[in-house]
Amino acid sequence: MRSERPFRLVVKPEGIFLAVDTTAKEVVLAEVLAYIRSREIQEYNTDAVLRAVNEKPQAPVRIADRHQDLDRPAMIELRCSEDGLKAELRITEPLGKAWPTVETCMTEMGRRGVSFGVDQGTLQRMVDAKIAGEWKVVARGVPPVDGKDAEFLFKVDLDPVRPKAIDDSHVDMKNLGTVVNVVQGQELLEKKPAIPSQEGTSVFGKTLKPRLAKDKNMPAGTNTTISDDGLHLFSSIDGCVKIKENKVCVLPVFEVSGDVDYSTGNIQFVGDVVVKGTIRDGFEVAAGGGVAVGGVVEGALVNCDGDLSVRGGIRGMGKARVQVKGTVTAVYVDQAWVRCGRDLVVADVIMHSDVGARGTINAITGKKGIIVGGRIQAGSEVRCEVLGNEMGTRTEVVVGLPPELLEERNQLLQSQKEMDVKLSEILSNIGYLKKLEGLGRLDDQKREVLLKLTRAQFQLQAQLGVLKDKLAVSDLDMDRNRTDGRVSVHKSVYPGVSVTIRGVTYLVRDKMDFISFLYIDGEVKPRPFQ
């Protein structure tokens, strides 16, 4: 017989004995006496109990006489967990009575209502091994399994705007990832279906109800498509992702309600961009469509594949760079670099700017229509009310060729000039070293320099050959794209203005009114306004 106590009582015909576990490290006398009294043994030999506790002899020690009225049956105790999923049983050994059977234990459990998940194997071991004083799990219920709600896994990052670290002490406050760009057919989110719940059963045979799983409808909003299995959401257009009224939408237009500044960061979007306020100094807007600005464009960078409309103007401060494949419309352009794939339309003034349009530059749309200072390039025509000013501010107007072709050719010519200078220096040094070689004064170090310069000469000459081929192609492109360019001034043009049409330049030396400049017979000639 085993017990969790390091002692036990043994009932024999000749008396009641106390057996103490010889391997026990400590046996508390008070616990032994309390247990003896709990078995209603009042007349016992205290000295014998003390000897058994202190000496721990191999044989049990007789501590009391045997009386039939002291015999007690085994006590069977049962306790259940609060959730009803576990029942434990403990047997207190009998005194002078038979050890309980499995059936006796089962009867007691039935009386307490425990009927499900009974572990008869454990009961049998407790009875066979006469395990006393230990709580043993004799029944286990089946716990309920809560359902798992359906959930959505976003395939695009919709986290709030947050600055990215540049290094340990700096963060990028401009590239905040404000716009979530997606393309047609891109997956936006995946739905993980709800996992059903499972009912459980307590040791009392009662059904335990689980938490039921909740399904969720796919949050399909504008310009989105649900897959056939209902588990994936795709974008049906190119655009930006927004959550509107708890639905995922893809919008073809990205709208900034205020300014493009540190609150929004730079804007990069595949479609149209609408800025209700101003694009502030130092920020960038890039769009795959058009851009509409309700305020002004300061010293910012704007690049778009469509048209640019600026309700105010472009106040460049010498820093603005605007590159547009379509038409630019603004009230004014001041100290800015602007390139248009089509036309530039300005209501009031173009001042001290470098502007170019493949089509026309038209300043006769508002009250002023002034062009003064800087460089003005147009593929076909420049129209304005006033060109230059009374102070003779230098104003250069070039028409008759697309500005990008002129700029490309100028870059090629500049590269050719730099290469020619470098080649001249190399040839001069080679000539000097060859003279030394002819005099027999070329040491090994100078000979190595001569070899390097000779290799550099051949490489540079090859590069110049390629550059000249590009210039030839550029010249052909310019010939194909030359037009009968025209500069038309409705009111006055002032000295300080130069007009170049198809490569021929006319310098304005006197004020002229109501005039047009045309290319006639290889010359630029003033004619009445047309």
Side-chain angles (χ1 to χ4, degrees), residues 281-282 297-301 314-322 333-338 351-354:
D281 181 22
V297 175
E298 294 183 344
L301 304 182
I314 302 174
R315 187 170 62 243
M317 300 178 283
K319 294 179 284 185
R321 291 186 65 86
V322 176
V333 177
D334 181 14
Q335 300 181 68
W337 184 93
V338 179
M351 296 178 60
H352 308 295
S353 296
D354 184 347

Side-chain angles (χ1 to χ4, degrees), residues 247-269:
K247 292 185 181 295
V248 180
C249 303
V250 181
L251 306 179
V253 177
F254 182 80
E255 185 173 298
V256 179
S257 59
D259 296 342
V260 175
D261 54 17
Y262 286 107
S263 66
T264 63
N266 296 331
I267 304 298
Q268 293 183 335
F269 182 50

Side-chain angles (χ1 to χ4, degrees), residues 197-212:
S197 59
Q198 297 179 15
E199 292 183 340
T201 306
S202 73
V203 295
F204 304 107
K206 294 181 179 180
T207 299
L208 300 177
K209 296 293 185 182
R211 189 186 72 83
L212 300 179

